[in-house]
Amino acid sequence: MGLADPLDSSPANGFKVVVDGIEIPKVIEVSGLKSEVDKIELKQNTNDGKYVVRQLIGRPKAGEFTITRGLTDSKTVTDWLKMVMDGDVAGSRKTASVELLDYKGETIKTYSFLNCWVRSVELNSLKAGAAEQATEKFTVCYDESSVS
């Protein structure tokens, strides 16, 4: 389903994150969503001696994105990182998606990622007297991505 009007744009606050079919709760921010291919530079001289540079399309690149969520008692993400650190390659690989939602909460675009694994988990600064929530930020690496 698309947006109601061609002049409308998707709200940046309408999204959900799903890993292995389970929606991640309390997600505050997703950053680094990017699809990219290598660029190949072909430098050559033509028959008349003119120098020419052509940019050719290379292979798709792997990548990573970052998810920030409110800290809970859930150990799902830290257990995932432990699995990676323990060398459980098969168990560490997951599928993930980030769905962009319209104003009614219906999906308008999905970024899908294959062979994901968590690279790092970071807590925000903890301060006595702070008036903010504790968060955990985790970086997810992936081999392949697609947008539908």
Side-chain angles (χ1 to χ4, degrees), residues 11-36:
N13 64 352
F15 62 91
K16 68 180 175 180
V17 179
V18 178
V19 176
D20 270 359
I22 299 170
E23 185 173 347
I24 304 293
K26 302 188 183 295
V27 175
I28 300 165
E29 180 180 357
V30 178
S31 60
L33 294 177
K34 182 177 177 179
S35 297
E36 189 174 19

Side-chain angles (χ1 to χ4, degrees), residues 16-77:
K16 68 180 175 180
V17 179
V18 178
V19 176
D20 270 359
I22 299 170
E23 185 173 347
I24 304 293
K26 302 188 183 295
V27 175
I28 300 165
E29 180 180 357
V30 178
S31 60
L33 294 177
K34 182 177 177 179
S35 297
E36 189 174 19
V37 296
D38 283 325
K39 176 181 80 169
I40 302 167
E41 282 197 6
L42 174 62
K43 299 175 184 179
Q44 60 188 351
N45 287 326
T46 61
N47 290 339
D48 58 356
K50 183 179 174 189
Y51 177 71
V52 177
V53 178
R54 299 284 311 234
Q55 294 187 34
L56 305 176
I57 299 168
R59 293 180 293 241
K61 288 179 140 184
E64 63 184 39
F65 59 95
T66 303
I67 300 168
T68 304
R69 71 178 193 151
L71 185 65
T72 68
D73 60 354
S74 170
K75 295 181 181 176
T76 305
V77 176

Side-chain angles (χ1 to χ4, degrees), residues 96-109:
S97 65
V98 177
E99 298 179 25
L100 303 182
L101 309 174
D102 66 10
Y103 291 96
K104 291 182 176 180
E106 296 177 13
T107 302
I108 57 174
K109 190 179 279 191

Side-chain angles (χ1 to χ4, degrees), residues 85-102:
M85 290 177 161
D86 289 345
D88 183 359
V89 177
S92 298
R93 302 269 186 190
K94 302 185 181 303
T95 60
S97 65
V98 177
E99 298 179 25
L100 303 182
L101 309 174
D102 66 10

